[in-house]
Amino acid sequence: LVMSISSLNFLKVWDIQNWDCLLHLSKINLMGLLASACFLYDYEKDETYIVTSNSNYGVGIENVKIYNLNGKEIKKIKNSNEDTLFVCTYFEEDQSRTYIIVSCKNYIKSYDYNDNKLYHKYYEKNLGFHLNVKIEKSNGLVKLYEVCSSDGYIRIWNFHHGNILFKINTALKLVSLCLWNENYLFSGVIGGKLLLIDLLNQKVINIMEGHKNWLNCIKKIKNNKKEEYLITQGYDDQIQIWLNDI
């Protein structure tokens, strides 16, 4: 399945084998914009769901919503009526728990999907939009990576305890990120540049000219030969594919 969304409050789910539209949800939010959406797999029920988030720009009447693939709203998480700019999910195998992670204006929150309760709030005093989050587990430690569009920091948190492990100052306005491996990550900048960051030494080691405007999405992909590439998308209406030689 592939999902496409519009800020005008509708989304579509497509079957990539024949590109049939399986679901078209419209008017998801009464006010504000459909800011982000993702799939959620419920391991207990063996069902796939859709999670949506809303950016109200201060209007504040919507919450995070969960739909089944028939388009029925099955659950709503009361996110204190805050702008939710990005949403993703994480399944913790050790606990058999699924978490929904939402990026709000000034911080990140994680919710336990099973009981709808707030799990942790990841907050350090700063004013800026947190636009992207990634979760990664290595050596038994679950880390939450997030970027901020105002202060230029990449923050790495202990997901289960809610404390900062370390942070990296890039001095640039960040809007996206992609984990390459345990040692490196890429981050996109409002001006379109692509940063390569050394996690071990906690510093930027390369700045590449990427897009002419916001580099707002970065993904790691593999081809049939198992070669690894980056694919980036920007607000300049371009998609770029990068051959990485790390």
Side-chain angles (χ1 to χ4, degrees), residues 25-232:
L25 276 176
S26 61
K27 298 181 180 179
I28 292 174
N29 302 306
L30 298 177
M31 300 184 70
L33 306 176
L34 176 59
S36 179
C38 66
F39 289 113
L40 181 150
Y41 184 69
D42 189 321
Y43 287 83
E44 292 184 355
K45 297 180 179 179
D46 191 25
E47 295 285 347
T48 299
Y49 298 100
I50 297 166
V51 184
T52 68
S53 67
N54 182 51
S55 176
N56 293 306
Y57 295 102
V59 176
I61 61 170
E62 303 287 353
N63 297 293
V64 176
K65 299 175 182 177
I66 296 94
Y67 297 86
N68 63 22
L69 291 182
N70 293 320
K72 180 181 178 181
E73 183 182 321
I74 63 165
K75 186 183 291 191
K76 183 182 290 185
I77 294 179
K78 296 181 179 180
N79 188 33
S80 303
N81 295 330
E82 295 173 290
D83 281 1
T84 303
L85 305 169
F86 178 82
V87 63
C88 64
T89 63
Y90 170 67
F91 176 69
E92 177 61 86
E93 293 186 12
D94 295 344
Q95 302 178 2
S96 295
R97 308 290 286 185
T98 298
Y99 300 92
I100 295 176
I101 299 94
V102 297
S103 294
C104 300
K105 181 178 179 182
N106 295 319
Y107 40 77
I108 313 294
K109 289 180 178 179
S110 59
Y111 291 90
D112 189 316
Y113 168 74
N114 304 81
D115 60 18
N116 279 21
K117 292 182 178 179
L118 179 67
Y119 183 63
H120 275 302
K121 181 177 179 179
Y122 310 88
Y123 173 74
E124 184 179 50
K125 187 177 181 181
N126 66 304
L127 298 176
F129 291 94
H130 298 260
L131 298 171
N132 208 275
V133 176
K134 293 291 183 292
I135 309 294
E136 177 254 356
K137 184 175 183 178
S138 61
N139 300 320
L141 180 63
V142 182
K143 300 176 184 176
L144 183 151
Y145 297 77
E146 54 103 344
V147 294
C148 183
S149 67
S150 64
D151 64 8
Y153 278 96
I154 296 171
R155 291 175 173 82
I156 295 87
W157 303 78
N158 183 316
F159 177 76
H160 287 304
H161 292 112
N163 60 294
I164 289 182
L165 299 172
F166 61 93
K167 57 184 180 180
I168 302 169
N169 187 7
T170 69
L172 294 167
K173 296 181 178 181
L174 308 174
V175 293
S176 57
L177 64 87
C178 175
L179 295 173
W180 184 259
N181 53 36
E182 293 183 6
N183 299 323
Y184 299 97
L185 67 77
F186 290 90
S187 184
V189 180
I190 283 182
K193 289 182 172 60
L194 179 65
L195 309 183
L196 174 59
I197 295 157
D198 182 338
L199 292 173
L200 294 179
N201 295 299
Q202 301 178 21
K203 64 180 182 179
V204 178
I205 59 173
N206 197 4
I207 301 177
M208 294 157 278
E209 295 294 332
H211 294 263
K212 297 177 182 178
N213 208 326
W214 287 42
L215 199 166
N216 67 307
C217 186
I218 312 173
K219 296 291 183 182
K220 180 179 180 179
I221 58 174
K222 292 183 180 180
N223 63 13
N224 293 334
K225 297 180 181 179
K226 297 185 178 180
E227 296 172 322
E228 296 178 324
Y229 299 85
L230 282 182
I231 183 168
T232 62

